[in-house]
């Protein structure tokens, strides 16, 4: 089993839709959690960190459930510019970052 | 601030040839990383350097060597390239490897081995 798993995708949604991505991690010692965004043929860029209490940044909401070892990302009112691959990333103290395979999102006009 | 820079952006090699991928960061970060990304797979760690003067193997180190030349620069060398090393290579840096620190990536090097 991979250490970080994500919805396989792709997700094709109309503009204005709400879309949710799921991620699970297998190592209960994981301490830090992130969502990165990667545009086609570009490098990954940090979208947001994920905190235990959940956090929101504009149209984006991230949730963490440590008991279930589950992370989610909700995008409201999808824009064409949200089309990208979303990578779930976990990190343990003194260890390295582990990336999920990513979920591709296409927002259609 | 340039952030993380990589050279070259593209490279085509023949099997058996060698090359070095260069990476530099100007954010005064201690930790640097080399990843490869293949279609349908997440980023896989090749080597990392937690601080200047140290390097360690990641998930897929075979066929690669690295040098942490100084705090700014971290190079990746392919001694004898193989078609299985065709991939996109990303360099990244972070303040430290400690939990909570985020990584910043370079633009990538697209390598094809024929």
């Amino acid at each position: 089993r991979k250490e970080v798993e994500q919805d396989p995708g792709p997700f094709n949604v109309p503009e204005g839709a709400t879309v949710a991505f799921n991620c699970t991690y297998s190592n209960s010692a994981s301490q830090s959690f992130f969502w990165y965004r990667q545009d086609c043929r570009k490098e990954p860029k940090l979208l947001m960190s994920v905190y235990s209490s959940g956090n929101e940044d504009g149209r984006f909401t991230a949730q963490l459930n440590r008991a279930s070892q589950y992370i989610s990302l909700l995008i409201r009112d999808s824009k064409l510019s949200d089309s990208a691959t979303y990578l779930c990333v976990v990190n343990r103290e003194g260890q390295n970052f582990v990336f999920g395979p990513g979920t591709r999102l296409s927002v259609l006009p | 601030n340039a952030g993380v820079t990589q050279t070259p952006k593209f490279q085509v090699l023949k099997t058996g040839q060698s090359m070095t991928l260069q990476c530099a960061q100007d954010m005064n970060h201690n930790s640097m990383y080399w990843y490869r990304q293949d279609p349908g797979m997440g980023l896989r760690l090749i080597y990392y350097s937690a601080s200047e003067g140290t390097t360690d193997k990641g998930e897929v180190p075979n066929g690669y060597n690295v040098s942490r030349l100084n705090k700014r620069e971290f190079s990746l060398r392919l001694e004898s390239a193989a078609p299985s090393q065709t991939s996109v290579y990303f360099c990244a840096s972070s303040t430290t490897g400690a939990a909570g620190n985020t990584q910043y990536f370079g633009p990538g090097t697209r390598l094809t081995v024929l």
Side-chain angles (χ1 to χ4, degrees), chain A:
Chain A
R1 183 188 170 191
K2 291 181 183 175
E3 188 166 346
V4 179
E5 299 196 69
Q6 297 185 238
D7 290 332
F11 284 45
N12 298 313
V13 302
E15 256 187 302
T18 295
V19 60
F21 301 131
N22 300 313
C23 170
T24 56
Y25 60 95
S26 60
N27 193 316
S28 59
S30 298
Q31 293 180 288
S32 300
F33 310 91
F34 309 90
W35 283 103
Y36 276 70
R37 170 196 170 122
Q38 186 174 23
D39 293 298
C40 188
R41 301 180 70 79
K42 297 285 190 180
E43 72 272 25
K45 292 184 178 178
L46 179 68
L47 178 66
M48 58 197 302
S49 301
V50 187
Y51 302 116
S52 295
S53 54
N55 46 300
E56 190 174 305
D57 183 2
R59 297 182 293 109
F60 299 84
T61 300
Q63 297 279 353
L64 168 64
N65 184 322
R66 286 187 185 270
S68 302
Q69 296 180 198
Y70 167 90
I71 307 157
S72 66
L73 176 68
L74 184 76
I75 305 176
R76 291 181 299 279
D77 188 22
S78 300
K79 311 290 185 193
L80 296 176
S81 57
D82 293 334
S83 296
T85 296
Y86 291 83
L87 305 172
C88 176
V89 184
V90 304
N91 174 255
R92 308 195 288 283
E93 185 70 39
Q95 301 295 323
N96 285 306
F97 299 83
V98 181
F99 286 75
T103 301
R104 189 157 59 89
L105 171 67
S106 293
V107 180
L108 308 172

Side-chain angles (χ1 to χ4, degrees), chain B:
Chain B
N1 258 0
V4 181
T5 57
Q6 292 183 236
T7 56
K9 286 188 167 53
F10 302 94
Q11 184 71 48
V12 178
L13 293 176
K14 294 181 180 177
T15 296
Q17 286 185 316
S18 62
M19 77 162 296
T20 300
L21 282 65
Q22 306 286 355
C23 174
Q25 52 90 11
D26 62 4
M27 295 177 282
N28 201 35
H29 285 167
N30 290 311
S31 299
M32 297 185 74
Y33 311 81
W34 277 105
Y35 293 90
R36 62 177 288 173
Q37 186 174 37
D38 301 295
M41 303 186 74
L43 281 83
R44 292 184 293 169
L45 184 65
I46 304 171
Y47 270 94
Y48 67 99
S49 171
S51 61
E52 187 179 353
T54 68
T55 61
D56 286 286
K57 295 178 180 180
E59 181 186 354
V60 289
N62 291 345
Y64 306 94
N65 285 302
V66 290
S67 295
R68 182 75 182 265
L69 303 169
N70 47 55
K71 191 171 186 179
R72 289 187 63 248
E73 298 172 289
F74 189 37
S75 63
L76 178 72
R77 183 159 178 85
L78 287 70
E79 290 291 351
S80 178
S84 60
Q85 294 178 305
T86 293
S87 189
V88 181
Y89 291 85
F90 288 103
C91 177
S93 70
S94 65
T95 308
T96 69
N101 282 292
T102 58
Q103 289 188 315
Y104 298 86
F105 285 83
T109 294
R110 283 165 177 76
L111 175 66
T112 300
V113 183
L114 303 175

